[in-house]
């Protein structure tokens, strides 16, 4: 991929990855980020509670700056800001203070009326200290391409049903398919049953999908989609 500009976002999300995926999509839509965006989730271990932060990489500084402005102006604990209002903050909501921002006043005293938010872009941070640090962590991982689980990326909508590894690499931003227990990786002609859930991760500068062998000589992504709920007593 060409040079990307990365904005980190941390709402203190402590829910499951399915909810984090929805937040990535909802925020991307609210920010007007389109097919060329790469949106990732990141596990944050620092602070009082492990949680999930997000990052968005775009090909222009102008788009990144517009996202930064929207997030810092609309995500400072104010109610009714669409995707952010439904994010469900976990870490920052317990802090009881507005935090700070480099060169600014942070989330402000009314943060309890909505969802607290940390944002990072380049050397700039906004929001409560712990959330701003989480956002910076997510942005740094994504910018270095050393970490981050990709939810949105070019070609993701084409990765449905079953397709060959060669086709997956051709139509999407995925760089490599790694097979558990196989140092050689996946053969180009191998068929991968996507289960409509393909979540590659950044590893050493490459977007890598972890896969595992399945029935009939096929492959499936290592990360399984959430199972459909069945009977309550199961």
């Amino acid at each position: 991929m060409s040079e990307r500009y990365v904005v980190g976002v941390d709402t203190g999300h402590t829910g499951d990855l399915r909810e984090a995926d929805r937040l990535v999509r909802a925020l991307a839509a609210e920010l007007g980020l389109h097919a060329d965006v790469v949106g990732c989730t990141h596990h944050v271990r620092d602070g009082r509670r492990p949680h999930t932060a997000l990052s968005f990489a775009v090909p222009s500084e102008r788009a990144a700056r517009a996202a930064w402005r929207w997030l810092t102006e609309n995500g400072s604990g104010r109610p009714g800001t669409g995707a952010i209002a439904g994010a469900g903050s976990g870490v920052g909501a317990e802090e009881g203070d507005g935090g700070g921002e480099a060169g600014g006043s942070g989330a402000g005293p009314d943060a309890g009326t909505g969802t607290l938010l940390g944002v990072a872009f380049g050397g700039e941070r906004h929001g409560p200290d712990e959330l701003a640090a989480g956002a910076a962590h997510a942005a740094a991982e994504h910018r270095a391409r050393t970490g981050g689980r990709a939810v949105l990326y070019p070609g993701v909508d084409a990765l449905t049903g079953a397709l060959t590894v060669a086709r997956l690499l051709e139509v999407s931003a995925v760089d490599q398919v790694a097979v558990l227990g196989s140092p050689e990786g996946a053969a180009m002609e191998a068929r991968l049953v996507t289960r409509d859930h393909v979540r590659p991760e950044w590893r050493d500068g490459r977007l890598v999908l972890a896969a595992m062998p399945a029935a009939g000589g096929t492959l499936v992504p290592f990360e399984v989609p959430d199972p459909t709920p069945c009977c309550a007593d199961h």
Side-chain angles (χ1 to χ4, degrees), residues 190-229:
R191 290 188 67 77
L192 183 131
V193 180
T194 67
R195 299 179 293 200
D196 299 345
H197 188 84
V198 180
R199 301 290 186 268
E201 297 184 0
W202 286 112
R203 298 182 191 173
D204 300 322
R206 294 168 64 81
L207 203 52
V208 179
L209 176 67
M212 57 186 178
T218 62
L219 299 171
V220 293
F222 179 73
E223 182 180 321
V224 300
D226 287 321
T228 301

Side-chain angles (χ1 to χ4, degrees), residues 1 21 24-25 28 34-39 149-161 163 167-174 192 194-200 207 209:
M1 289 185 183
D21 287 2
V24 168
R25 294 191 187 95
H34 303 297
D36 54 359
V37 66
V38 180
R149 167 184 167 275
V151 179
L152 294 176
Y153 50 92
V156 63
D157 291 339
L159 305 184
T160 61
L163 67 170
R167 180 63 176 165
L168 181 147
L169 299 179
E170 176 187 354
V171 302
S172 76
V174 178
L192 183 131
T194 67
R195 299 179 293 200
D196 299 345
H197 188 84
V198 180
R199 301 290 186 268
L207 203 52
L209 176 67

Side-chain angles (χ1 to χ4, degrees), residues 5-7 9 24 27-28 31 33 37-39 54-58 142:
Y5 298 85
V6 183
V7 178
V9 183
V24 168
L27 267 179
L31 293 168
L33 304 177
V37 66
V38 180
L54 316 176
S55 65
F56 298 91
V58 294
H142 194 153

Side-chain angles (χ1 to χ4, degrees), residues 70-171:
W70 191 96
L71 288 163
T72 55
E73 291 171 3
N74 294 288
S76 298
R78 302 172 190 170
T81 54
I84 294 174
S89 187
V91 176
E94 297 178 354
E95 293 184 350
D97 64 66
E101 173 191 0
S105 59
D110 63 341
T113 64
T115 299
L116 295 171
L117 185 70
V119 191
F121 176 57
E124 300 176 79
R125 296 187 182 188
H126 173 93
D129 290 343
E130 187 170 349
L131 296 181
H137 165 79
E141 273 198 342
H142 194 153
R143 190 166 52 248
R145 299 180 183 179
T146 56
R149 167 184 167 275
V151 179
L152 294 176
Y153 50 92
V156 63
D157 291 339
L159 305 184
T160 61
L163 67 170
T164 65
V165 169
R167 180 63 176 165
L168 181 147
L169 299 179
E170 176 187 354
V171 302

